[in-house]
Amino acid sequence: MSTLSTHVLDAVRGVPAAGVTVTLYQHARQLDSGETDADGRIQALGDALEPGTYRLVFDTGAYFARSEVETFYPEVVVAFVVTEERHYHVPLLLSPFAFSTYRGS
């Protein structure tokens, strides 16, 4: 079975994005939820993941609202596919008006 972690970086401030709620879904079913730690990380989301399509939903609106920063994206949704047994890492680089992600290691 596969495992999953994530890391959120605030690209404007140049620091880890602590306190971002991240929810894992498979189709419409919520599997797990967590909040990024002081280093912007969630070490494990979900139990062992089987092959399939998943979504991570990052609550970016609440993160920016705490700092009274206006944002265009109240949430960021990243869909990805688990195809083989391995560890999957999904990083998010975040700013109030842009974001990017990639398949991490």
Side-chain angles (χ1 to χ4, degrees):
M1 296 290 181
S2 296
T3 57
L4 174 68
S5 62
T6 189
H7 188 197
V8 184
L9 294 172
D10 185 325
V12 171
R13 295 176 42 221
V15 298
V20 176
T21 299
V22 183
T23 307
L24 174 66
Y25 293 90
Q26 186 176 34
H27 305 292
R29 185 172 60 121
Q30 180 178 328
L31 300 178
D32 199 4
S33 185
E35 188 173 283
T36 57
D37 63 16
D39 194 34
R41 297 179 184 276
I42 298 177
Q43 297 296 332
L45 270 173
D47 293 323
L49 303 180
E50 296 183 4
T53 301
Y54 296 85
R55 286 182 298 124
L56 285 175
V57 178
F58 297 83
D59 186 1
T60 54
Y63 170 76
F64 285 117
R66 282 193 301 277
S67 302
E68 299 181 355
V69 173
E70 180 184 346
T71 182
F72 184 69
Y73 299 105
E75 66 181 23
V76 172
V77 179
V78 178
F80 62 98
V81 178
V82 170
T83 57
E84 60 184 293
E85 189 171 312
R86 60 171 287 175
H87 178 75
Y88 289 84
H89 183 68
V90 181
L92 179 68
L93 303 174
L94 182 62
S95 79
F97 301 102
F99 64 89
S100 65
T101 186
Y102 56 94
R103 180 178 166 177
S105 58

XYZ file of all heavy atoms in Angstrom:
814
model
N 0.831 -1.187 0.000
C 0.000 0.000 0.000
C 0.875 1.251 0.000
O 1.991 1.230 0.468
C -0.905 0.022 1.230
C -1.898 -1.108 1.278
S -3.136 -0.862 0.021
C -4.143 -2.277 0.322
N 0.319 2.337 -0.489
C 1.062 3.591 -0.599
C 0.750 4.522 0.562
O -0.309 4.427 1.181
C 0.704 4.276 -1.915
O 1.109 3.483 -2.999
N 1.678 5.440 0.830
C 1.499 6.446 1.865
C 1.563 7.833 1.244
O 2.031 8.007 0.110
C 2.582 6.305 2.946
O 3.872 6.411 2.321
C 2.462 4.976 3.670
N 1.101 8.838 1.998
C 0.988 10.200 1.472
C 1.407 11.215 2.518
O 1.047 11.096 3.696
C -0.468 10.462 1.063
C -0.824 11.878 0.631
C -0.139 12.229 -0.692
C -2.329 12.021 0.508
N 2.147 12.230 2.077
C 2.475 13.382 2.918
C 2.342 14.641 2.070
O 2.245 14.575 0.840
C 3.896 13.256 3.480
O 4.845 13.233 2.431
N 2.342 15.794 2.742
C 2.265 17.062 2.031
C 3.079 18.114 2.772
O 3.427 17.945 3.944
C 0.802 17.521 1.844
O 0.771 18.649 0.959
C 0.138 17.881 3.160
N 3.371 19.192 2.077
C 4.159 20.298 2.619
C 3.660 21.563 1.939
O 3.537 21.601 0.714
C 5.636 20.068 2.306
C 6.557 21.033 2.957
N 7.845 21.198 2.522
C 6.417 21.878 4.002
C 8.456 22.093 3.273
N 7.603 22.525 4.181
N 3.348 22.592 2.723
C 2.853 23.854 2.163
C 3.839 24.960 2.510
O 4.186 25.144 3.685
C 1.448 24.210 2.699
C 0.927 25.481 2.023
C 0.475 23.054 2.482
N 4.281 25.684 1.494
C 5.191 26.814 1.676
C 4.504 28.099 1.244
O 3.899 28.160 0.168
C 6.466 26.623 0.855
C 7.350 25.463 1.281
C 8.467 25.255 0.274
C 7.917 25.716 2.663
N 4.598 29.121 2.072
C 4.082 30.445 1.744
C 5.171 31.135 0.924
O 6.184 31.588 1.468
C 3.773 31.200 3.032
C 3.128 32.551 2.801
O 3.482 33.226 1.800
O 2.291 32.946 3.628
N 4.964 31.205 -0.385
C 5.997 31.717 -1.294
C 6.199 33.221 -1.165
O 7.270 33.729 -1.504
C 5.654 31.359 -2.735
N 5.204 33.958 -0.686
C 5.337 35.404 -0.535
C 6.191 35.737 0.687
O 7.097 36.554 0.619
C 3.952 36.077 -0.436
C 4.088 37.544 -0.070
C 3.205 35.930 -1.740
N 5.899 35.088 1.781
C 6.626 35.354 3.027
C 7.911 34.551 3.119
O 8.768 34.831 3.946
C 5.727 35.071 4.222
C 4.545 36.028 4.284
C 3.551 35.744 5.407
N 4.209 35.409 6.652
C 3.787 34.439 7.468
N 2.734 33.721 7.171
N 4.429 34.198 8.599
N 8.038 33.495 2.312
C 9.239 32.670 2.322
C 9.346 31.802 3.559
O 10.450 31.544 4.036
N 8.191 31.340 4.075
C 8.173 30.519 5.282
C 7.206 29.351 5.090
O 6.322 29.398 4.224
C 7.744 31.344 6.520
C 8.725 32.476 6.800
C 6.328 31.887 6.356
N 7.328 28.319 5.920
C 6.336 27.248 5.879
C 4.961 27.799 6.260
O 4.856 28.706 7.094
C 6.823 26.263 6.945
C 8.276 26.561 7.115
C 8.412 28.034 6.871
N 3.931 27.266 5.651
C 2.557 27.695 5.934
C 1.982 26.795 7.027
O 1.471 25.711 6.750
C 1.716 27.649 4.666
N 2.085 27.242 8.263
C 1.572 26.480 9.396
C 0.072 26.712 9.550
O -0.430 27.797 9.281
C 2.293 26.897 10.674
N -0.627 25.669 9.989
C -2.050 25.804 10.293
C -2.987 25.720 9.106
O -4.133 26.140 9.203
N -2.530 25.169 7.990
C -3.405 24.984 6.821
C -4.113 23.637 6.974
O -3.459 22.599 7.107
C -2.619 25.009 5.495
C -3.537 24.724 4.308
C -1.905 26.339 5.322
N -5.435 23.655 6.941
C -6.196 22.415 6.994
C -6.179 21.774 5.616
O -6.439 22.443 4.606
C -7.644 22.671 7.436
O -7.614 23.239 8.746
C -8.458 21.385 7.459
N -5.849 20.486 5.576
C -5.773 19.735 4.320
C -6.651 18.495 4.479
O -6.539 17.763 5.466
C -4.328 19.312 4.001
C -4.258 18.596 2.657
C -3.390 20.522 4.014
N -7.531 18.282 3.498
C -8.445 17.151 3.543
C -8.206 16.256 2.342
O -8.067 16.741 1.217
C -9.903 17.635 3.559
O -10.062 18.574 4.630
C -10.875 16.487 3.756
N -8.161 14.960 2.594
C -7.939 13.953 1.553
C -9.265 13.288 1.199
O -10.000 12.848 2.091
C -6.951 12.894 2.051
C -6.720 11.684 1.140
C -6.038 12.098 -0.163
C -5.893 10.626 1.875
N -9.554 13.223 -0.108
C -10.766 12.583 -0.621
C -10.405 11.528 -1.652
O -9.423 11.675 -2.385
C -11.668 13.596 -1.332
C -12.278 14.639 -0.441
C -11.622 15.838 -0.197
C -13.526 14.441 0.140
C -12.179 16.816 0.605
C -14.105 15.416 0.945
C -13.423 16.598 1.173
O -13.988 17.559 1.972
N -11.219 10.523 -1.726
C -11.228 9.615 -2.873
C -12.651 9.654 -3.389
O -13.581 9.255 -2.678
C -10.811 8.202 -2.519
C -10.694 7.329 -3.766
C -10.185 5.938 -3.450
O -10.477 5.377 -2.407
N -9.420 5.375 -4.377
N -12.806 10.160 -4.593
C -14.129 10.461 -5.155
C -14.817 11.435 -4.193
O -14.214 12.420 -3.828
C -14.918 9.191 -5.419
C -14.161 8.217 -6.291
N -13.894 8.473 -7.613
C -13.593 7.022 -5.998
C -13.195 7.470 -8.117
N -12.990 6.575 -7.159
N -16.032 11.186 -3.761
C -16.731 12.102 -2.856
C -16.511 11.747 -1.390
O -16.988 12.446 -0.503
C -18.226 12.088 -3.169
N -15.770 10.698 -1.117
C -15.597 10.207 0.250
C -14.368 10.834 0.909
O -13.244 10.727 0.405
C -15.452 8.688 0.232
C -15.394 8.070 1.617
C -15.446 6.562 1.533
N -14.336 6.035 0.779
C -13.446 5.178 1.262
N -13.552 4.731 2.487
N -12.460 4.747 0.505
N -14.591 11.494 2.059
C -13.480 12.051 2.825
C -12.768 10.928 3.554
O -13.385 10.156 4.281
C -13.977 13.079 3.832
C -12.853 13.686 4.640
C -13.321 14.741 5.612
O -14.281 15.443 5.361
N -12.621 14.854 6.726
N -11.450 10.846 3.351
C -10.652 9.797 3.982
C -9.936 10.265 5.239
O -9.779 9.506 6.189
C -9.621 9.252 2.997
C -10.154 8.639 1.711
C -9.011 8.199 0.820
C -11.095 7.491 2.020
N -9.469 11.519 5.229
C -8.682 12.012 6.353
C -8.569 13.522 6.253
O -8.830 14.115 5.197
C -7.288 11.378 6.341
C -6.568 11.451 7.678
O -7.172 11.930 8.663
O -5.407 11.014 7.738
N -8.163 14.145 7.339
C -7.939 15.580 7.374
C -6.864 15.855 8.410
O -6.737 15.112 9.387
C -9.239 16.298 7.746
O -9.069 17.691 7.671
N -6.098 16.909 8.187
C -5.062 17.280 9.130
C -4.699 18.738 8.957
O -5.217 19.412 8.056
N -3.828 19.210 9.822
C -3.389 20.600 9.769
C -1.874 20.625 9.709
O -1.205 19.886 10.446
C -3.882 21.328 11.023
C -3.657 22.811 10.973
C -4.319 23.509 12.146
O -5.546 23.674 12.115
O -3.585 23.874 13.092
N -1.338 21.481 8.848
C 0.111 21.560 8.717
C 0.736 22.036 10.025
O 0.188 22.892 10.721
C 0.537 22.488 7.558
O -0.022 23.788 7.764
C 0.098 21.932 6.212
N 1.893 21.463 10.346
C 2.601 21.813 11.576
C 3.422 23.089 11.371
O 3.311 23.759 10.338
C 3.457 20.636 12.042
C 4.554 20.243 11.057
O 4.894 21.038 10.140
O 5.090 19.131 11.198
N 4.243 23.425 12.338
C 5.053 24.647 12.287
C 5.992 24.665 11.087
O 6.406 25.731 10.630
C 5.838 24.810 13.578
N 6.331 23.493 10.565
C 7.201 23.390 9.395
C 6.381 23.288 8.105
O 6.928 23.015 7.040
C 8.123 22.180 9.537
C 9.273 22.201 8.555
O 9.773 23.307 8.228
O 9.665 21.120 8.083
N 5.054 23.471 8.189
C 4.198 23.419 7.012
C 3.923 22.011 6.511
O 3.471 21.827 5.395
N 4.180 21.009 7.345
C 4.080 19.617 6.899
C 2.953 18.849 7.572
O 2.619 19.109 8.726
C 5.383 18.878 7.184
C 6.562 19.415 6.437
C 7.839 18.646 6.783
N 8.973 19.232 6.119
C 9.343 18.960 4.877
N 8.677 18.086 4.154
N 10.392 19.549 4.338
N 2.443 17.882 6.845
C 1.633 16.809 7.402
C 2.356 15.537 6.987
O 2.485 15.251 5.792
C 0.184 16.824 6.887
C -0.510 18.124 7.288
C -0.577 15.613 7.423
C -1.926 18.269 6.755
N 2.861 14.815 7.956
C 3.694 13.643 7.678
C 2.922 12.481 7.083
O 3.485 11.694 6.319
C 4.410 13.194 8.950
C 5.376 14.218 9.491
C 6.545 14.503 8.557
O 6.965 13.668 7.773
N 7.059 15.713 8.621
N 1.635 12.344 7.449
C 0.849 11.223 6.936
C -0.617 11.620 6.852
O -1.174 12.125 7.819
C 1.005 10.000 7.822
N -1.202 11.412 5.680
C -2.631 11.619 5.466
C -3.209 10.314 4.956
O -2.675 9.730 4.015
C -2.890 12.725 4.442
C -3.016 14.138 4.975
C -3.110 15.133 3.827
C -4.212 14.291 5.887
N -4.298 9.887 5.547
C -4.909 8.636 5.124
C -4.108 7.457 5.626
O -2.982 7.593 6.085
N -4.749 6.322 5.575
C -4.044 5.092 5.900
C -3.315 4.655 4.639
O -2.950 5.482 3.824
C -5.044 4.036 6.371
C -5.668 4.437 7.712
O -4.959 5.009 8.550
O -6.875 4.193 7.888
N -3.141 3.397 4.447
C -2.502 2.887 3.239
C -3.425 3.150 2.044
O -4.599 2.789 2.064
C -2.230 1.403 3.390
N -2.899 3.803 1.025
C -3.690 4.157 -0.149
C -3.577 3.075 -1.216
O -2.483 2.641 -1.554
C -3.213 5.486 -0.734
C -3.225 6.692 0.199
C -2.712 7.915 -0.542
C -4.604 6.935 0.775
N -4.712 2.699 -1.743
C -4.747 1.741 -2.846
C -4.689 2.508 -4.162
O -4.932 3.714 -4.194
C -6.031 0.916 -2.757
C -6.090 0.077 -1.502
C -7.334 -0.791 -1.437
O -8.121 -0.796 -2.393
O -7.495 -1.464 -0.420
N -4.368 1.862 -5.266
C -4.356 2.552 -6.553
C -5.698 3.234 -6.817
O -6.757 2.697 -6.483
C -4.098 1.429 -7.557
C -3.318 0.419 -6.769
C -3.923 0.465 -5.391
N -5.625 4.438 -7.385
C -6.837 5.190 -7.696
C -6.556 6.670 -7.746
O -5.418 7.119 -7.600
N -7.624 7.441 -7.941
C -7.540 8.894 -8.026
C -7.968 9.500 -6.693
O -8.997 9.108 -6.131
C -8.429 9.423 -9.160
O -7.996 8.827 -10.386
C -8.342 10.939 -9.282
N -7.187 10.461 -6.225
C -7.432 11.122 -4.947
C -7.397 12.634 -5.146
O -6.878 13.124 -6.149
C -6.349 10.728 -3.932
C -6.364 9.267 -3.583
C -5.688 8.332 -4.372
C -7.049 8.808 -2.456
C -5.710 6.983 -4.047
C -7.063 7.464 -2.136
C -6.397 6.558 -2.937
O -6.422 5.219 -2.621
N -7.933 13.353 -4.158
C -7.880 14.819 -4.160
C -7.427 15.301 -2.793
O -7.889 14.801 -1.773
C -9.260 15.430 -4.427
C -9.735 15.325 -5.824
C -11.098 15.990 -6.018
N -12.123 15.342 -5.200
C -12.888 15.963 -4.306
N -12.767 17.244 -4.087
N -13.799 15.292 -3.615
N -6.547 16.281 -2.792
C -6.206 17.018 -1.589
C -6.846 18.398 -1.707
O -6.696 19.069 -2.735
C -4.691 17.185 -1.443
C -3.911 15.964 -1.006
C -2.415 16.260 -1.018
C -4.353 15.502 0.380
N -7.570 18.816 -0.673
C -8.186 20.138 -0.651
C -7.506 20.937 0.456
O -7.572 20.570 1.640
C -9.707 20.052 -0.418
C -10.304 21.452 -0.361
C -10.371 19.231 -1.514
N -6.837 22.015 0.069
C -6.113 22.885 0.992
C -6.989 24.098 1.303
O -7.402 24.816 0.379
C -4.807 23.369 0.345
C -3.832 22.269 0.018
C -3.955 21.532 -1.153
C -2.780 21.979 0.876
C -3.053 20.530 -1.471
C -1.861 20.973 0.568
C -2.006 20.249 -0.601
N -7.283 24.342 2.563
C -8.124 25.476 2.968
C -7.257 26.731 3.052
O -6.886 27.185 4.128
C -8.804 25.177 4.299
C -9.791 26.260 4.699
O -9.969 27.245 3.949
O -10.384 26.126 5.794
N -6.959 27.301 1.910
C -6.072 28.461 1.834
C -6.763 29.748 2.271
O -6.108 30.666 2.749
C -5.524 28.615 0.408
O -6.618 28.654 -0.501
C -4.634 27.435 0.039
N -8.082 29.805 2.116
C -8.822 30.997 2.520
C -8.679 31.280 4.004
O -8.411 32.416 4.417
N -8.845 30.261 4.828
C -8.714 30.433 6.279
C -7.278 30.803 6.661
O -7.058 31.623 7.554
C -9.149 29.159 6.997
N -6.307 30.199 5.961
C -4.898 30.508 6.235
C -4.618 31.993 6.013
O -4.044 32.671 6.869
C -3.978 29.651 5.358
C -2.531 30.065 5.404
C -1.736 29.756 6.505
C -1.948 30.781 4.361
C -0.408 30.149 6.567
C -0.624 31.169 4.406
C 0.143 30.855 5.506
O 1.461 31.248 5.568
N -5.033 32.522 4.869
C -4.777 33.934 4.578
C -5.646 34.857 5.432
O -5.211 35.948 5.818
C -4.970 34.222 3.086
C -3.842 33.704 2.240
C -4.077 32.731 1.281
C -2.554 34.170 2.398
C -3.042 32.244 0.501
C -1.503 33.687 1.627
C -1.753 32.721 0.672
N -6.867 34.451 5.748
C -7.759 35.284 6.568
C -7.150 35.551 7.946
O -7.312 36.650 8.493
C -9.123 34.618 6.701
N -6.467 34.561 8.518
C -5.835 34.755 9.833
C -4.820 35.898 9.811
O -4.588 36.545 10.821
C -5.162 33.470 10.303
C -6.130 32.456 10.848
C -5.420 31.344 11.597
N -4.466 30.599 10.796
C -4.786 29.596 9.977
N -6.037 29.235 9.836
N -3.846 28.969 9.294
N -4.221 36.133 8.652
C -3.236 37.217 8.516
C -3.839 38.457 7.875
O -3.116 39.393 7.538
C -2.051 36.740 7.659
O -1.448 35.616 8.227
N -5.154 38.423 7.684
C -5.867 39.533 7.026
C -5.285 39.841 5.656
O -5.085 40.985 5.278
C -5.891 40.767 7.931
C -6.609 40.518 9.242
C -6.673 41.736 10.140
O -6.081 42.789 9.805
O -7.313 41.638 11.189
N -5.020 38.775 4.906
C -4.496 38.890 3.549
C -5.592 38.453 2.577
O -6.147 37.364 2.714
C -3.239 38.005 3.361
C -2.790 37.991 1.906
C -2.123 38.491 4.268
N -5.899 39.305 1.620
C -6.892 38.967 0.598
C -6.311 37.898 -0.323
O -5.135 37.939 -0.682
C -7.228 40.207 -0.218
C -8.237 39.956 -1.302
C -8.491 41.186 -2.161
O -8.096 42.302 -1.770
O -9.060 41.019 -3.258
N -7.145 36.926 -0.697
C -6.702 35.885 -1.612
C -7.746 35.628 -2.685
O -8.939 35.780 -2.443
C -6.380 34.571 -0.862
O -5.911 33.600 -1.810
C -7.591 34.013 -0.158
N -7.300 35.259 -3.839
C -8.192 34.912 -4.946
C -8.659 33.463 -4.849
O -9.703 33.101 -5.341
C -7.466 35.152 -6.271
C -8.318 34.926 -7.478
C -9.368 35.780 -7.772
C -8.066 33.870 -8.336
C -10.161 35.567 -8.891
C -8.853 33.648 -9.453
C -9.909 34.513 -9.735
N -7.863 32.618 -4.208
C -8.153 31.190 -4.112
C -8.516 30.812 -2.676
O -7.630 30.633 -1.840
C -6.940 30.356 -4.556
C -6.552 30.599 -5.989
C -5.439 31.364 -6.304
C -7.315 30.068 -7.013
C -5.087 31.587 -7.623
C -6.972 30.297 -8.337
C -5.861 31.056 -8.636
O -5.519 31.279 -9.938
N -9.815 30.643 -2.358
C -10.194 30.255 -1.008
C -9.827 28.808 -0.685
O -9.735 28.435 0.472
C -11.705 30.453 -0.980
C -12.126 30.314 -2.403
C -10.976 30.844 -3.223
N -9.628 28.016 -1.717
C -9.124 26.665 -1.537
C -8.367 26.253 -2.789
O -8.592 26.776 -3.870
C -10.233 25.651 -1.229
C -11.206 25.411 -2.339
C -12.287 24.403 -1.960
O -12.564 24.197 -0.761
O -12.874 23.819 -2.874
N -7.450 25.333 -2.585
C -6.692 24.766 -3.694
C -6.974 23.271 -3.700
O -6.848 22.611 -2.673
C -5.175 25.033 -3.544
C -4.392 24.261 -4.606
C -4.880 26.520 -3.628
N -7.366 22.760 -4.861
C -7.655 21.341 -5.005
C -6.603 20.735 -5.928
O -6.406 21.214 -7.051
C -9.069 21.110 -5.594
C -9.338 19.627 -5.762
C -10.121 21.773 -4.719
N -5.950 19.691 -5.445
C -4.937 19.000 -6.237
C -5.374 17.544 -6.376
O -5.458 16.815 -5.381
C -3.544 19.073 -5.575
C -2.525 18.297 -6.396
C -3.115 20.515 -5.384
N -5.667 17.148 -7.595
C -6.021 15.753 -7.873
C -4.756 15.032 -8.327
O -3.932 15.594 -9.046
C -7.092 15.685 -8.953
N -4.632 13.771 -7.901
C -3.452 12.986 -8.280
C -3.838 11.520 -8.327
O -4.862 11.102 -7.790
C -2.289 13.232 -7.312
C -2.581 12.828 -5.895
C -2.156 11.599 -5.416
C -3.300 13.659 -5.055
C -2.435 11.220 -4.121
C -3.580 13.287 -3.753
C -3.152 12.064 -3.281
N -2.987 10.743 -8.981
C -3.258 9.324 -9.173
C -2.187 8.493 -8.478
O -0.989 8.717 -8.680
C -3.296 8.975 -10.681
C -3.525 7.488 -10.889
C -4.377 9.778 -11.385
N -2.630 7.539 -7.685
C -1.741 6.547 -7.076
C -1.746 5.343 -8.009
O -2.807 4.771 -8.278
C -2.234 6.153 -5.671
C -1.462 4.951 -5.141
C -2.117 7.344 -4.725
N -0.572 4.999 -8.539
C -0.495 3.913 -9.515
C 0.327 2.727 -9.043
O 0.128 1.618 -9.518
C 0.126 4.415 -10.833
O 1.417 4.961 -10.550
C -0.758 5.456 -11.492
N 1.244 2.994 -8.136
C 2.123 1.923 -7.682
C 2.357 2.068 -6.190
O 2.113 3.123 -5.613
C 3.456 1.964 -8.431
C 4.204 3.277 -8.242
C 5.471 3.366 -9.057
O 6.402 2.590 -8.764
O 5.524 4.191 -9.966
N 2.830 1.026 -5.580
C 3.104 1.060 -4.149
C 4.379 1.851 -3.902
O 5.463 1.461 -4.347
C 3.246 -0.364 -3.617
C 3.313 -0.417 -2.111
C 3.240 -1.835 -1.579
O 2.354 -2.586 -2.018
O 4.086 -2.161 -0.732
N 4.232 2.985 -3.210
C 5.359 3.861 -2.899
C 4.872 4.963 -1.975
O 3.690 5.053 -1.669
C 5.957 4.468 -4.165
C 4.945 5.305 -4.957
C 5.545 6.075 -6.066
N 6.293 7.170 -5.473
C 7.030 8.015 -6.144
N 7.154 7.908 -7.438
N 7.667 8.983 -5.555
N 5.758 5.850 -1.591
C 5.370 7.035 -0.825
C 5.124 8.175 -1.809
O 5.944 8.433 -2.684
C 6.452 7.439 0.179
C 6.080 8.674 0.926
N 5.133 8.666 1.933
C 6.475 9.957 0.786
C 4.977 9.902 2.379
N 5.785 10.701 1.704
N 3.990 8.849 -1.659
C 3.658 10.004 -2.486
C 3.745 11.256 -1.623
O 3.249 11.287 -0.503
C 2.240 9.875 -3.060
C 2.160 8.811 -4.130
C 1.988 7.475 -3.791
C 2.283 9.140 -5.473
C 1.929 6.492 -4.765
C 2.225 8.166 -6.452
C 2.048 6.843 -6.083
O 2.003 5.874 -7.053
N 4.385 12.297 -2.170
C 4.519 13.573 -1.475
C 4.001 14.654 -2.416
O 4.449 14.746 -3.567
C 5.984 13.825 -1.103
C 6.185 15.079 -0.332
N 5.714 15.247 0.953
C 6.795 16.243 -0.664
C 6.037 16.449 1.373
N 6.692 17.083 0.417
N 3.038 15.452 -1.928
C 2.417 16.494 -2.752
C 2.680 17.851 -2.100
O 1.962 18.261 -1.192
C 0.901 16.256 -2.914
C 0.276 17.343 -3.788
C 0.628 14.871 -3.493
N 3.713 18.570 -2.534
C 4.006 19.897 -2.007
C 3.133 20.961 -2.689
O 2.752 20.817 -3.862
C 5.473 20.131 -2.368
C 5.966 18.858 -2.950
C 4.781 18.081 -3.383
N 2.854 22.037 -1.946
C 2.105 23.169 -2.495
C 2.883 24.435 -2.200
O 3.223 24.716 -1.052
C 0.711 23.248 -1.856
C -0.172 24.402 -2.315
C -0.593 24.213 -3.770
C -1.393 24.524 -1.414
N 3.205 25.195 -3.250
C 3.821 26.519 -3.118
C 2.689 27.522 -3.272
O 1.998 27.539 -4.299
C 4.888 26.738 -4.183
C 6.011 25.708 -4.204
C 6.916 25.937 -5.389
C 6.788 25.750 -2.909
N 2.503 28.368 -2.282
C 1.287 29.159 -2.172
C 1.566 30.648 -2.069
O 2.497 31.074 -1.390
C 0.556 28.693 -0.901
C -0.767 29.310 -0.540
C -1.800 29.031 -1.634
C -1.238 28.750 0.791
N 0.750 31.440 -2.763
C 0.695 32.884 -2.572
C -0.778 33.278 -2.684
O -1.598 32.458 -3.089
C 1.559 33.624 -3.608
O 0.902 33.709 -4.843
N -1.146 34.508 -2.339
C -2.558 34.876 -2.366
C -3.201 34.826 -3.758
O -4.403 34.649 -3.872
C -2.568 36.309 -1.842
C -1.317 36.450 -1.050
C -0.326 35.557 -1.745
N -2.400 34.935 -4.810
C -2.959 34.996 -6.156
C -2.364 33.974 -7.121
O -2.575 34.079 -8.332
C -2.811 36.420 -6.706
C -3.503 37.416 -5.823
C -2.786 38.202 -4.937
C -4.885 37.535 -5.843
C -3.429 39.093 -4.100
C -5.539 38.425 -5.006
C -4.809 39.208 -4.131
N -1.645 32.996 -6.578
C -1.074 31.943 -7.426
C -0.691 30.763 -6.553
O -0.525 30.883 -5.348
C 0.167 32.462 -8.156
N -0.567 29.610 -7.201
C -0.060 28.425 -6.512
C 0.554 27.499 -7.543
O 0.271 27.581 -8.740
C -1.156 27.701 -5.718
C -2.265 27.119 -6.558
C -2.170 25.834 -7.075
C -3.413 27.856 -6.815
C -3.192 25.306 -7.842
C -4.435 27.324 -7.577
C -4.331 26.044 -8.097
N 1.427 26.616 -7.064
C 1.974 25.583 -7.922
C 2.214 24.336 -7.076
O 2.323 24.413 -5.846
C 3.270 26.031 -8.624
O 4.284 26.238 -7.682
N 2.279 23.218 -7.741
C 2.498 21.949 -7.072
C 3.304 21.049 -7.997
O 3.443 21.346 -9.184
C 1.146 21.301 -6.666
O 1.417 20.138 -5.895
C 0.298 20.984 -7.866
N 3.834 19.985 -7.443
C 4.595 19.032 -8.239
C 4.614 17.707 -7.498
O 4.252 17.642 -6.310
C 6.021 19.539 -8.491
C 6.799 19.868 -7.236
C 7.630 18.918 -6.650
C 6.701 21.121 -6.638
C 8.340 19.201 -5.494
C 7.412 21.410 -5.483
C 8.219 20.455 -4.917
O 8.923 20.727 -3.773
N 5.016 16.680 -8.174
C 5.157 15.380 -7.529
C 6.487 15.349 -6.804
O 7.555 15.325 -7.407
C 5.089 14.266 -8.568
C 5.221 12.882 -7.952
C 5.096 11.833 -9.016
N 5.538 10.543 -8.503
C 5.480 9.435 -9.222
N 5.018 9.458 -10.447
N 5.894 8.312 -8.699
N 6.408 15.397 -5.507
C 7.612 15.399 -4.689
C 8.120 14.006 -4.434
O 7.604 13.020 -4.944
N 9.141 13.942 -3.601
C 9.714 12.620 -3.266
C 9.899 12.515 -1.766
O 9.812 13.464 -1.045
C 11.038 12.425 -3.978
O 11.943 13.452 -3.635
